[in-house]
Structure formats: structure tokens, C-alpha cells
């Protein structure tokens, strides 16, 4: 609008300065418009204009670039291995706590399997005379409570803790975790669509791209102002 105002002023005023004002306005308008069109073409496909819509057209390459950046810079094998090694080292003086896991584990199938084993054994026929499975039902809750305490004791024993730490320090576990991270990253990237990528890039650089239009007009206007003094 500022550039267009300069153009209109240069066309209608009748003075020695009209040439400089008109040239400044025309060059500023050309600079800002061409930058605006270039930014529009970056995100939108314009029929007949080769190279437009590059963000959407190069969607696959864009995703591959993100994957390479994330896996090589943030979740490289060296970084993941170092993080896990430091995590294990930091917890070396403290037991790994499995209480919540054990507490939330359903041990009902364990009891059912035990009862089924007893009923299939030689004791099954004997228990049948005393009510069969129903005779063992009062033992369900005490069994599950004792099993939970036993598992908790085992999980916090020195031998078990040492075994877990040794396993966590093995390269096989590190490799498996690294593969899982890569799978998660790939799965998330597969959820991206060309429109999502376009909107994401636009949101990130919208402000900076807007300044390209402004500076295109400013520098175009300066060039126009200078050229107005050239002998033509």
C-alpha cells in the first residue's frame, strides 16, 4: 500500500520530484510483490509455474530430512547408549523399584492355573469329594497377597537387582531400545500429511517471511530512487 501510494503520487503530481517518487514506488511495488508471490509459491501449487508448491511437492524428502535430523542429532546410537549408561550408573546406589508394577499385576490367572494343575493331579479326585474348585476358593485372596509380597521381595533382592543392571548394561538391550525409538519416530512421521507439514512450516516462519515482503519493498524503493537520478 505504501509503494502503491508512491506510484499514485508520482503519476499525479507535477513537479521535478515526480520522477524520483514514481521510480521509488514502482521499484518498491515490484520488489514487495515478487517476494510475496515467491512466498506464496513456496507453499501453494500454482498451475503452469514450475517449482511452485515445493513444500508439498517435496513432502517425502522433507519427512526423510526430519527423520535423519532426529535420529542422527538427537537419538543417535551414541547418545542413547550414553544416556542409558548414565541412568544405570546414577541408580547404582539405589534399588530399582518394581513395587508399582507388581502391585498392578493381575495374579488371578496364576491362581487359576495353580487350581487347574491341582484339579488335574491325583488330588483332584480327592478334592471333588469336598466341593472341588469351590473348596479352594477361600485361598484365592491369601494366595494373591502372599504371591505379591514374594514377588516384591524377589524383585528387590540383591541378586535380582544385579541381574537387571547387568542386563541393562548389555549392548543387546541398548540396541533394542534404539530400534524402538527409531520405530516410534518413524510411526509419528508416518502420521504427517503434506497439509500438516505445510501448516507447520508456515507457522514457524510466517513472521520472518512477512519481513521478506517488507524488505523487498524497501530495497526495491531504494534502487528505484537511485535509478531516478541516472541520465536516461
Amino acid at each position: 500500500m505504501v509503494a502503491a501510494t508512491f506510484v499514485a503520487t508520482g503519476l499525479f503530481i507535477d513537479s521535478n520530484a515526480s520522477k524520483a517518487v514514481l521510480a521509488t514506488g514502482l521499484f518498491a511495488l515490484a520488489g514487495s510483490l515478487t517476494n510475496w508471490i515467491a512466498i506464496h509459491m513456496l507453499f501453494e501449487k500454482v498451475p503452469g509455474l514450475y517449482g511452485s508448491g515445493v513444500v508439498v511437492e517435496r513432502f517425502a524428502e522433507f519427512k526423510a530430512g526430519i527423520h535423519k535430523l532426529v535420529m542422527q542429532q538427537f537419538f543417535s546410537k551414541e547418545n542413547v547408549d550414553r544416556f542409558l549408561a548414565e541412568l544405570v550408573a546414577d541408580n547404582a546406589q539405589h534399588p530399582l523399584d518394581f513395587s508399582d508394577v507388581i502391585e498392578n499385576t493381575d495374579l488371578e490367572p496364576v491362581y487359576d492355573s495353580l487350581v487347574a494343575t491341582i484339579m488335574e493331579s491325583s488330588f483332584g479326585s480327592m478334592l471333588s469329594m469336598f466341593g472341588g474348585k469351590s473348596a479352594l476358593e477361600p485361598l484365592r485372596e491369601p494366595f494373591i497377597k502372599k504371591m505379591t509380597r514374594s514377588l516384591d521381595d524377589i524383585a528387590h533382592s540383591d541378586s535380582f537387582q544385579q541381574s537387571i543392571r547387568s542386563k541393562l548394561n548389555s549392548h543387546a538391550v541398548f540396541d533394542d531400545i534404539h530400534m524402538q525409538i527409531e520405530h516410534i519416530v518413524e510411526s509419528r512421521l508416518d502420521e504427517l500429511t503434506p497439509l500438516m507439514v505445510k501448516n507447520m512450516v508456515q507457522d514457524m516462519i510466517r513472521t520472518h517471511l512477512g519481513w521478506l515482503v517488507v524488505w523487498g519493498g524497501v530495497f526495491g524503493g531504494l534502487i528505484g530512487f537511485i535509478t531516478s537520478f541516472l541520465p536516461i
Side-chain angles (χ1 to χ4, degrees), residues 54-71 185-194 196-198 200-201:
V54 64
V55 172
V56 177
E57 287 289 320
R58 302 291 182 177
F59 171 64
E61 296 178 17
F62 186 80
K63 281 206 310 182
I66 295 178
H67 179 269
K68 182 178 180 180
L69 173 68
V70 171
M71 295 309 302
V185 172
E186 289 177 349
S187 298
R188 294 297 295 168
L189 287 176
D190 287 341
E191 296 175 6
L192 290 177
T193 64
M196 290 170 63
V197 171
K198 186 190 79 169
M200 180 174 63
V201 175

Side-chain angles (χ1 to χ4, degrees), residues 28-147:
L29 190 62
S32 57
L33 279 178
T34 51
N35 279 9
W36 181 84
I37 292 172
I39 293 170
H40 179 77
M41 289 173 57
L42 181 64
F43 298 101
E44 305 295 339
K45 183 67 177 177
V46 181
L49 294 181
Y50 176 78
S52 60
V54 64
V55 172
V56 177
E57 287 289 320
R58 302 291 182 177
F59 171 64
E61 296 178 17
F62 186 80
K63 281 206 310 182
I66 295 178
H67 179 269
K68 182 178 180 180
L69 173 68
V70 171
M71 295 309 302
Q72 290 188 0
Q73 300 299 323
F74 296 100
F75 295 115
S76 65
K77 190 175 185 305
E78 293 76 14
N79 288 342
V80 173
D81 289 353
R82 184 173 63 254
F83 170 77
L84 293 174
E86 290 175 354
L87 181 64
V88 174
D90 289 341
N91 291 321
Q93 304 301 322
H94 307 283
L96 300 170
D97 192 4
F98 298 97
S99 299
D100 290 341
V101 177
I102 296 172
E103 192 68 30
N104 294 320
T105 301
D106 184 12
L107 296 177
E108 295 280 349
V110 178
Y111 177 79
D112 293 336
S113 178
L114 175 63
V115 171
T117 301
I118 293 174
M119 295 305 297
E120 292 171 2
S121 69
S122 57
F123 293 99
S125 56
M126 184 186 301
L127 285 172
S128 297
M129 295 186 296
F130 299 96
K133 290 183 179 180
S134 59
L136 298 175
E137 192 60 29
L139 299 176
R140 179 183 294 272
E141 188 174 348
F143 172 84
I144 290 176
K145 288 183 178 180
K146 288 183 179 295
M147 180 61 73

Side-chain angles (χ1 to χ4, degrees), residues 2-8 19-31 220-221 224-225:
V2 173
T5 301
F6 269 77
V7 173
K19 179 181 178 182
V21 174
L22 180 61
T24 300
L26 287 174
F27 276 71
L29 190 62
F225 180 74

